[in-house]
Amino acid sequence: MSITPPRDPRRLGERTRLVHAGRDPSRQHGFVNTPIYRGSTVLYESYDALQHRRSEYTYGTAGTPTTRALEQAWTDLAGASGTVLTPSGLAAVTVGLLACLKAGDHLLVTDSAYRPTRAFCDGFLARFGVETTYYDPTIGAGIAELMRPNTAAVLTEAPGSQSFEMQDIPAIAEVAHARGACVLMDNTWATPLLFPPHERGVDIAIEAGTKYLSGGSDLLLGLTSANARYWPALQRTFALFAMCAGPEDVFLALRGLRTLPLRLAEHGRQALAMAQWLQQRPEVLRVLHPALPEDPGHAIWARDFTGASGLFSVILKPCPEAAVAAMLDGLDLFGMGFSWGGFESLVIPFDCRAYRSATAWAPGGPGLRFHIGLEDLDDLKRDLDAGFARLRAAM
């Protein structure tokens, strides 16, 4: 039996491709996984090889067999021309933006963007002469009205990481490309498994591998992929910053890649069931989940996405902060923490008012963002049921 991976991945199903992508046991003495390569110095075979960099690997910051394995696998999954790995999701955002912006440029950013992304735009980019304008995430093709002669890029995120507005990415991309602008997208919620970014018109796609690719809440990683037009610029920008991911984190991400489709499907199934249960709760005003038919963005989600992940939000009916604290402080199975995508369930309170500028956030009650993990769903419901009882008692 051959241990060499299949030669034509285009003929394979997605799950099969992810099991085999980025690994070649024949080059690793038959071992299934690419090992962790730690190192800075690479030795060359000759003077000529050193002078002309005639080597597959040249220096630690330029990549190792471990990083190359994940880069190649993710490039295949995303339908990209190339991928770079960074030490965090925010680093993936920044290297993507810096690849397509220069002093004097204008940037359009969705008002629902990840808050640290806003901080980078309003802080770092502003210092270097890039002006950022925030736009209503539901604007669609109407974004044409905000385009300027110097608009170089449009940053999208679908759905919003707390408020869950859907964006019409193909419509935005059509307008942006007609004006010569780059389209970037934070695709962490869906991953390329549920939303193929480059196929939908995205030039530079950003993922926080910290989330679902990890699956274990135990690593920090970012992945930025680009199409043929923007891959050279992304590659150059990454090389200038040498923003390298740690070898152990890359190895863990490669391991997580093999089971990503199964885990993501289960997260999505459990989250949708929990969202439907929460819709029936008397304490809940509404649920923000694009896979629900009642959601304002459902039609776009149904058209462009092939599934949903485990993250969504709810808006509670008006209640005092002390009641929300009583609910959350007594939870046994839901942790409170600023991430998601791992095997465990999480919840955080949120309020977007302080970091919205193009739209008004007035949901009508306190917001809670849930990540539904892989626990037994009935146990999670009992935990929340007891939490709602504490909320009512504190009102």
Side-chain angles (χ1 to χ4, degrees):
M1 174 180 171
S2 172
I3 57 174
T4 302
R7 295 300 184 189
D8 188 2
R10 294 169 297 180
R11 299 178 59 187
L12 301 174
E14 197 166 63
R15 283 170 48 176
T16 305
R17 282 166 46 214
L18 287 185
V19 167
H20 292 275
R23 63 183 187 87
D24 185 355
S26 66
R27 299 186 65 180
Q28 312 299 341
H29 308 285
F31 286 98
V32 170
N33 291 309
T34 305
I36 299 173
Y37 283 80
R38 301 181 184 88
S40 55
T41 302
V42 176
L43 299 181
Y44 293 81
E45 292 185 353
S46 67
Y47 173 87
D48 179 72
L50 176 66
Q51 289 294 89
H52 297 95
R53 303 293 192 270
R54 301 186 198 281
S55 177
E56 183 176 358
Y57 301 99
T58 58
Y59 190 70
T61 58
T64 70
T66 312
T67 58
R68 193 74 74 247
L70 182 55
E71 289 166 355
Q72 292 172 349
W74 196 261
T75 295
D76 176 63
L77 176 62
S81 291
T83 301
V84 297
L85 309 180
T86 62
S88 69
L90 179 58
V93 173
T94 62
V95 75
L97 287 170
L98 292 171
C100 60
L101 292 169
K102 64 182 185 305
D105 281 344
H106 175 237
L107 168 67
L108 288 169
V109 175
T110 176
D111 209 28
S112 58
Y114 178 53
R115 192 176 184 183
T117 298
R118 295 181 71 108
F120 178 76
C121 294
D122 296 340
F124 186 92
L125 289 182
R127 286 173 51 210
F128 288 86
V130 175
E131 182 184 355
T132 299
T133 299
Y134 294 94
Y135 65 88
D136 184 334
T138 64
I139 199 170
I143 202 166
E145 298 179 8
L146 300 178
M147 301 288 289
R148 304 177 187 173
N150 65 331
T151 301
V154 180
L155 177 62
T156 66
E157 180 177 330
S161 60
Q162 291 183 336
S163 47
F164 287 87
E165 299 96 338
M166 290 301 301
Q167 292 199 259
D168 192 334
I169 304 298
I172 291 173
E174 184 177 0
V175 171
H177 292 157
R179 306 293 183 89
C182 176
V183 177
L184 303 95
M185 179 183 181
D186 186 333
N187 194 36
T188 303
W189 183 84
T191 81
L193 286 173
L194 305 180
F195 183 89
H198 301 294
E199 184 180 312
R200 300 282 191 264
V202 175
D203 299 302
I204 297 178
I206 297 148
E207 313 276 345
T210 305
K211 310 308 198 251
Y212 287 115
L213 182 55
S214 162
S217 302
D218 54 4
L219 66 86
L220 291 167
L221 186 72
L223 307 99
T224 310
S225 62
N227 59 16
R229 180 179 178 184
Y230 285 95
W231 171 235
L234 178 62
Q235 209 172 16
R236 288 194 302 270
T237 304
F238 176 79
L240 289 170
F241 280 86
M243 204 183 294
C244 304
E248 284 81 7
D249 286 350
V250 175
F251 177 84
L252 289 173
L254 275 166
R255 188 170 68 179
L257 183 73
R258 312 308 175 193
T259 59
L260 178 60
L262 300 175
R263 290 184 289 102
L264 194 59
E266 185 63 8
H267 282 296
R269 184 191 69 81
Q270 295 233 116
L272 184 57
M274 182 63 81
Q276 292 166 337
W277 181 79
L278 285 165
Q279 279 185 309
Q280 309 307 313
R281 295 292 313 193
E283 305 87 356
V284 172
L285 185 63
R286 66 179 181 276
V287 178
L288 311 179
H289 191 313
L292 294 172
E294 302 82 3
D295 190 89
H298 178 73
I300 291 176
W301 173 84
R303 183 194 69 190
D304 293 341
F305 288 68
T306 60
S309 66
L311 194 74
F312 66 93
S313 291
V314 304
I315 304 301
L316 300 175
K317 291 179 179 177
C319 61
E321 185 177 6
V324 177
M327 174 187 176
L328 300 186
D329 284 345
L331 292 174
D332 290 326
L333 300 179
F334 284 86
M336 285 186 282
F338 291 103
S339 192
W340 41 277
F343 50 78
E344 80 287 11
S345 293
L346 297 170
V347 60
I348 58 167
F350 72 94
D351 185 347
C352 299
R353 285 178 295 178
Y355 41 98
R356 287 298 179 97
S357 56
T359 54
W361 178 249
L368 297 177
R369 189 183 73 179
F370 287 96
H371 173 254
I372 307 303
L374 303 178
E375 301 94 339
D376 186 279
L377 200 58
D378 287 337
D379 292 332
L380 294 177
K381 290 178 180 177
R382 280 191 290 268
D383 197 25
L384 289 179
D385 188 55
F388 282 125
R390 291 190 300 273
L391 181 143
R392 293 192 304 271
M395 292 180 65

